Amino acid sequence: TGGSYRTIQRFFHTQIDWASVQWRFFERFVFRPDTVYLLAGDESIVSKSGKHTHGMGWFFSSILNTAIPGLAFFSIAIIDVTSRRAYPLSTQQVIRSEEEKEQTRKRKQKRKCKAPKRPPGRPKGSKNKQKADLPLSPELQRILLQGQAVMNLIRDKLSVTYFVLDGHFGNAFATAMVRQMGLHILSKMAHNAQLYQPPTPEQKAQHPRLKYGTRIDYQHLPATLLVARTTEAGYCTEVYQASCLHKHFADLINVVIIVRTHLESGRAGHVVLFSSDLRLDAVTLIDYYALRFQIEFTFRDAKQYFGLEDFMGVKAVSIQNAVGLSFFLVNLSRYLLEALRLSYPGAGVHDLKAFYRARHYIAAVLKCIPEKAGLISYSDLIEQVCRPGLIHPKQNGQTELEFAA
């Protein structure tokens, strides 16, 4: 864009409300009132070396399957259910408090040392706890504040019902956090989660104080819970749905169990999805949870194309600006690609960069042409110059491109 390096330095050290910037862009160019939207949240790790970068610490990388030195960012994105794309809205750096670090150390020690087995029965003097008032961990408190800020930003324009999170948040504490935001959670439980059906009238008649009915046996699921069965490519997929109780949850939860069986060998595996919305049907719940992965593509694009993996800032403000700019370019590129793909189906970020780089060069060349050189078809010339740099060929029968400068 031009300007001196000092101008760039001033930009990166300026306080910018990136959540408002992202929302204004989404509201102006992407938002459609007739579309269903979800919120999704996830954490991304950026590897870093050195000791002076703000927020530097050790974070678990799922790609490398180990803890690495670097920075962590929690991102909340809006997912368009119709176009099946995610648009980053709020990204905050994860700064762990001393309390959170101490909890992590205790969990590691607990895994290493086997605790003595507790005798059966309820310990003497223990009291009932209110499951609805679960204490939130420092991590969940941080996400709650970020989520509430997002809801305050979009509430007047956008109606959202569900917050989609990965299996790390498939517990009662995260559910309580999402409910405080005024949303319903969509997440995944552990494969061996202890779920119970509500007691039947016959069971209540025999045991009036019974709270939990029959426990869910994942190896022998009741046929009455089956809602769908499909067979494809040698696999049988069965979908079960039920309103279940869990001893850590205050209320009933909507549970969907997907069982996939290899017909030849008989081997089977299952996944347990759940939501706090009891009215959500199984097909929609599965589809919404599958859309959660779209936020991973925003991380990929930000790292691969827009500098999230290799920015050089060390101060808190410069880091936030580098990250905010990366995710803003993700949103901008997705908006521009919709127009480019009308003539070049399958075009990606590389094609977009090639097109606008050529556009920049040809515009500079045209400025050097004398005024009396005659009329030049600007749009046709731009497309001819841009075409050699594109990966995907132009589709026949399409009209010429018209892009905003």
Side-chain angles (χ1 to χ4, degrees):
T1 58
S4 66
Y5 187 69
R6 187 61 182 164
T7 302
I8 296 174
Q9 286 180 319
R10 281 195 294 269
F11 168 79
F12 277 99
H13 288 84
T14 302
Q15 290 281 357
I16 300 174
D17 185 0
W18 283 104
S20 296
V21 173
Q22 305 279 33
W23 168 242
R24 294 305 175 197
F25 178 85
F26 179 89
E27 182 184 20
R28 172 64 179 84
F29 296 102
V30 181
F31 173 71
R32 289 175 294 177
D34 58 340
T35 301
V36 177
Y37 292 100
L38 312 173
L39 283 186
D42 201 4
E43 188 174 281
S44 179
I45 310 299
V46 177
S47 59
K48 286 291 177 184
S49 60
K51 300 179 181 179
H52 303 291
T53 305
H54 177 73
M56 189 74 180
W58 286 82
F59 300 93
F60 181 80
S61 171
S62 57
I63 297 176
L64 302 175
N65 199 29
T66 186
I68 61 171
L71 307 178
F73 302 94
F74 191 86
S75 178
I76 296 178
I78 298 175
I79 296 180
D80 186 332
V81 174
T82 303
S83 66
R84 308 186 75 81
R85 290 194 186 94
Y87 298 89
L89 184 59
S90 171
T91 305
Q92 290 186 6
Q93 187 176 1
V94 176
I95 306 295
R96 288 179 176 168
S97 62
E98 290 301 323
E99 180 186 358
E100 194 171 352
K101 292 178 182 177
E102 183 62 27
Q103 289 181 355
T104 304
R105 283 192 288 266
K106 287 181 179 179
R107 282 197 298 267
K108 289 181 179 178
Q109 292 174 359
K110 191 175 180 180
R111 292 192 197 102
K112 292 179 181 179
C113 306
K114 288 187 178 180
K117 192 173 181 181
R118 198 182 75 181
R122 183 168 180 168
K124 257 189 177 181
S126 62
K127 297 181 179 180
N128 292 336
K129 297 178 181 178
Q130 290 292 334
K131 296 178 182 178
D133 301 327
L134 293 174
L136 300 183
S137 66
E139 177 190 20
L140 294 180
Q141 291 176 15
R142 183 175 61 245
I143 297 172
L144 175 60
L145 292 176
Q146 183 179 356
Q148 288 174 337
V150 168
M151 292 302 297
N152 292 334
L153 186 65
I154 69 175
R155 184 173 285 113
D156 295 337
K157 185 78 174 183
L158 192 63
S159 177
V160 179
T161 306
Y162 302 103
F163 194 15
V164 190
L165 296 163
D166 63 11
H168 173 69
F169 299 96
N171 52 65
F173 298 94
T175 302
M177 180 265 296
V178 174
R179 295 301 292 146
Q180 289 185 40
M181 293 171 54
L183 302 175
H184 286 291
I185 190 173
L186 284 175
S187 188
K188 182 174 72 171
M189 278 186 164
H191 71 282
N192 57 351
Q194 297 182 10
L195 298 171
Y196 300 85
Q197 292 182 274
T200 62
E202 293 78 11
Q203 291 174 329
K204 291 290 284 185
Q206 294 179 359
H207 306 280
R209 301 179 64 181
L210 187 65
K211 293 177 63 178
Y212 302 99
T214 307
R215 181 173 171 178
I216 296 292
D217 183 0
Y218 297 107
Q219 305 303 321
H220 305 90
L221 292 168
T224 54
L225 303 182
L226 182 67
V227 296
R229 179 189 285 118
T230 58
T231 303
E232 185 178 0
Y235 286 90
C236 177
T237 304
E238 297 174 320
V239 179
Y240 297 83
Q241 185 176 26
S243 296
C244 296
L245 294 165
H246 191 287
K247 291 186 177 180
H248 294 165
F249 285 76
D251 303 311
L252 281 168
I253 52 176
N254 185 1
V255 175
V256 173
I257 304 170
I258 307 170
V259 182
R260 190 173 171 85
T261 307
H262 187 241
L263 297 177
E264 185 176 349
S265 64
R267 290 179 300 178
H270 67 272
V271 173
V272 183
L273 307 180
F274 80 97
S275 173
S276 55
D277 184 4
L278 301 178
R279 297 171 298 175
L280 193 61
D281 63 275
V283 175
T284 305
L285 193 152
I286 295 171
D287 183 53
Y288 284 0
Y289 185 77
L291 285 172
R292 188 206 68 81
F293 202 79
Q294 295 299 317
I295 196 174
E296 303 287 353
F297 295 137
T298 67
F299 295 147
R300 178 202 62 186
D301 290 350
K303 291 180 178 181
Q304 186 172 348
Y305 303 116
F306 303 119
L308 181 61
E309 188 68 48
D310 49 22
F311 63 88
M312 302 301 291
V314 295
K315 303 290 185 181
V317 176
S318 61
I319 291 173
Q320 192 63 33
N321 285 337
V323 173
L325 181 61
S326 296
F327 283 109
F328 177 77
L329 290 173
V330 170
N331 286 337
L332 178 63
S333 65
R334 296 192 168 197
Y335 169 71
L336 295 175
L337 277 172
E338 289 184 5
L340 186 62
R341 284 171 178 161
L342 294 177
S343 294
Y344 298 89
V349 177
H350 283 304
D351 300 296
L352 191 68
K353 284 187 172 184
F355 183 89
Y356 277 96
R357 186 179 293 114
R359 182 186 179 92
H360 175 72
Y361 291 155
I362 193 61
V365 171
L366 288 175
K367 290 179 182 178
C368 301
I369 297 176
E371 294 183 4
K372 297 182 180 180
L375 182 64
I376 298 176
S377 177
Y378 187 67
S379 299
D380 292 342
L381 183 59
I382 283 181
E383 188 173 355
Q384 291 175 19
V385 175
C386 295
R387 201 174 297 165
L390 298 177
I391 298 173
H392 295 81
K394 182 178 180 180
Q395 189 174 13
N396 294 330
Q398 294 290 341
T399 58
E400 72 173 31
L401 292 172
E402 287 295 341
F403 283 86

